[in-house]
Amino acid sequence: MSTAPTVAPAAPAVPVVDIWFDPACPWAWMTSRWITEVAEHRDVDLRWHVMSLSVLNEGRDLPEEYRRLMDDSWAAVRVLVAAARDHGDKVLAPLYTAMGTRRHPQGRTDTAAIIAESLEELSLPAELAAVGATDEVDDLLRASHAEAIALVGDEVGTPVVAIDGVGYFGPVVTPAPTGQAALDLFDGLVAMTRVPGFYELKRTRTVGPQL
């Protein structure tokens, strides 16, 4: 009597993880360090995208200090978009890391110098810095931003993380978890994205960014 051949279970697909960030945002910075840690230990297809708090807050009544931050933050996101346009999306993660390290752990706010040094660190053309003061790549920037907003709506900010096309604002964490804690958080987020109709889980932040 013949028996049907045993069919091995299909290997799980590598999850596609998309992250949208604004380099000015310290919360996005910590989320980006968390997902970078995850990618070092898990087989994920990690894809980086730019979004813009300046675009998100256009037309909104903002405190003067935050308005100045929004005006200043245009330059870095434009340079990131221009670099990706000219040299491929592969430059986004290292260029963001170069910019973000200077702005967040090092606490710097001299945006022009941050951009120039970061381009030099990655051997990217210094001329890219000039794009930051123009609207040359704004159509591309707004299109990338719109992809994030289409997933989560415009009542949130940055970062946006999506797993296999299901996106959420966050996770917002401080400090960025490492080691097994980073992997546990990722596994929880994967589980959350697989629950149809799940939209929100939140509590009030009681501490600021711990960089």
Side-chain angles (χ1 to χ4, degrees):
M1 178 177 176
S2 61
T3 58
T6 301
V7 178
V14 174
V16 175
V17 180
D18 293 277
I19 178 169
W20 281 264
F21 63 91
D22 184 317
C25 178
W27 299 104
W29 173 252
M30 286 182 291
T31 301
S32 74
R33 298 311 92 186
W34 158 71
I35 199 61
T36 299
E37 171 90 354
V38 170
E40 291 178 358
H41 301 283
R42 289 283 174 85
D43 190 10
V44 297
D45 182 2
L46 181 56
R47 304 175 183 182
W48 298 82
H49 313 269
V50 176
M51 65 183 297
S52 171
L53 290 172
S54 300
V55 172
L56 184 68
N57 286 290
E58 282 182 320
R60 295 181 179 179
D61 185 17
L62 302 173
E64 182 59 29
E65 182 178 354
Y66 195 66
R67 171 59 61 193
R68 288 197 299 269
L69 175 63
M70 294 300 94
D71 292 343
D72 180 64
S73 68
W74 280 103
V77 290
R78 285 167 167 163
V79 171
L80 281 155
V81 170
R85 176 198 63 185
D86 295 348
H87 301 278
D89 289 343
K90 65 184 183 297
V91 306
L92 283 175
L95 184 54
Y96 173 39
T97 295
M99 289 181 179
T101 298
R102 289 168 169 82
R103 178 169 291 275
H104 301 299
Q106 295 180 15
R108 292 172 53 185
T109 58
D110 49 339
T111 299
I114 288 171
I115 290 171
E117 292 171 17
S118 299
L119 291 172
E120 182 179 10
E121 179 181 325
L122 297 176
S123 300
L124 291 167
E127 294 77 14
L128 283 170
V131 178
T134 75
D135 61 0
E136 178 182 332
V137 296
D138 282 11
D139 286 348
L140 294 174
L141 170 59
R142 291 177 184 277
S144 180
H145 179 88
E147 290 176 353
I149 296 304
L151 290 174
V152 298
D154 60 3
E155 297 177 356
V156 298
T158 175
V160 169
V161 172
I163 298 176
D164 292 331
V166 180
Y168 292 94
F169 165 57
V172 175
V173 291
T174 184
T178 59
Q180 188 59 48
L183 301 179
D184 289 345
L185 176 58
F186 179 73
D187 292 340
L189 187 59
V190 170
M192 185 175 72
T193 62
R194 292 175 178 167
V195 178
F198 183 89
Y199 290 100
E200 186 173 359
L201 181 68
K202 187 174 182 178
R203 63 176 175 169
T204 300
R205 292 195 300 265
T206 57
V207 295
Q210 298 173 331
L211 300 167

